[in-house]
Amino acid sequence: MRFIEEIVVDDFLPTFRSLLADALRERGLTQSEVADLLGISQSAVSKYVHGDVARQEDLLAHRGLEELVERLADGLADGDMSSVQALVETEVFIRELEQGGVLAQLHEEAVPELGDYDDEFAVHDPDSQLRSAERTLASVRRGLSVLENTSGFATLIPAVGSNLVQCLPEADSIEDVAAVPGRILDVKGRATIPADPEFGVSEHVATLLLAARAAGSDARAVLNVRYDDGVVAALRDSGRTVVEFDAEESVEPAVAAALADDPGADVLYHTGAMGIEPVVYLLGDDAVSVAETAREIL
């Protein structure tokens, strides 16, 4: 009897840590610094970087692992990512590999009887709700990292603040939408994110996303930014479909009317009303893509 957690310890961790240790050393970190970041001894780092630890071939061939290692190494080396953030990213990635990914395959190879197991409980369910929630939160965190590292993003934050939200695939309420508690604010010219994303903490931007999806949009993420003619023109010039809606109506019918002819629009905006600030809403497949849209128009 072998548990999938043993596959993680025996196969994933040595491979992952050796790749990340190599990547951090390539970025100029000392063995001592690498050891501190990874929470291991310097002697373990030495073994990793000198190839004294076996790497699992199936994991080495996984493109997602290579991308994760490069992203973490860049963030840790530059100081843009904390060890806790790196741990969370890695935990989410491990869960993905456990739920129908390469770790699940390695587990089934180690315990062939799992392939014949027929019961209501799916050991390697790739569509679990927990996995979807973890992936959604991780996507919002990555999108926020893009915004934090985008020079000048603070100039796009409206007076009411921005929020970056992403929903679960089958979302039907704001409890299914991950967002920043308290919104992203411009504090002395710097975008300030007050807390890690959570589910159910956005009302307005989450409601707009749900309204867009109810009107036929496939978008799963939205970022609201400051309105002006230049921003809207830049979005149109970039080839995006831009649609205006009426701020004086409630969100759901206003968005439904705006998307009636083109539910696939990339951008929604309104020019304000009495007591309502004009705002632009960037729609996309995930939080990272809408954050990158904001970076493109600066």
Side-chain angles (χ1 to χ4, degrees), residues 24-39:
L24 290 169
R25 290 287 284 146
E26 288 172 0
R27 286 158 175 79
L29 276 70
T30 67
Q31 286 192 9
S32 176
E33 290 170 330
V34 173
D36 288 342
L37 285 172
L38 299 187

Side-chain angles (χ1 to χ4, degrees), residues 44-284:
V45 173
S46 178
K47 290 180 181 179
Y48 287 140
V49 299
H50 288 96
D52 297 333
V53 175
R55 296 176 175 179
Q56 214 289 331
E57 292 297 325
D58 289 339
L59 288 166
L60 290 176
H62 193 283
R63 181 178 179 84
L65 179 58
E66 178 184 353
E67 293 174 350
L68 173 68
V69 167
E70 291 299 309
R71 184 169 67 252
L72 298 188
D74 285 340
L76 291 169
D78 295 340
D80 295 329
M81 178 182 291
S82 69
S83 294
V84 172
Q85 288 174 307
L87 174 63
V88 170
E89 292 263 352
T90 307
E91 287 280 6
V92 171
F93 184 74
I94 290 172
R95 301 298 169 260
E96 292 176 358
L97 297 189
E98 288 178 347
Q99 305 294 332
V102 65
L103 290 178
Q105 295 168 8
L106 291 172
H107 192 206
E108 290 178 2
E109 290 173 8
V111 189
E113 296 83 0
L114 282 173
D116 300 324
Y117 183 72
D118 185 18
D119 195 76
E120 293 181 1
F121 175 69
V123 178
H124 300 136
D125 178 12
D127 297 316
S128 70
Q129 186 174 358
L130 176 61
R131 177 191 174 192
S132 293
E134 288 175 335
R135 292 183 67 181
T136 299
L137 288 169
S139 179
V140 176
R141 291 189 194 97
R142 290 195 296 271
L144 292 171
S145 179
V146 171
L147 297 179
E148 284 184 300
N149 292 287
T150 296
S151 177
F153 173 68
T155 64
L156 287 179
I157 298 176
V160 295
S162 291
N163 213 329
L164 178 63
V165 311
Q166 180 172 324
C167 68
L168 297 173
E170 304 300 326
D172 59 14
S173 77
I174 63 173
E175 297 302 320
D176 299 322
V177 183
V180 176
R183 300 193 181 184
I184 307 165
L185 301 173
D186 175 4
V187 178
K188 297 182 179 180
R190 182 178 180 82
T192 301
I193 299 167
D196 286 337
E198 301 175 19
F199 282 96
V201 295
S202 170
E203 183 172 352
H204 179 70
V205 182
T207 297
L208 183 132
L209 173 59
L210 294 171
R213 289 172 59 80
S217 173
D218 293 328
R220 284 189 54 200
V222 171
L223 170 67
N224 66 312
V225 298
R226 174 181 56 82
Y227 168 86
D228 70 32
D229 292 341
V231 168
V232 172
L235 289 163
R236 282 200 177 100
D237 290 345
S238 69
R240 292 175 171 84
T241 303
V242 180
V243 176
E244 182 177 4
F245 70 97
D246 188 350
E248 294 185 343
E249 292 187 40
S250 61
V251 172
E252 290 88 347
V255 169
L259 295 180
D261 294 329
D262 193 350
D266 308 296
V267 179
L268 289 168
Y269 76 96
H270 65 73
T271 56
M274 182 67 68
I276 300 176
E277 181 182 10
V279 176
V280 176
Y281 299 87
L282 311 178
L283 284 69

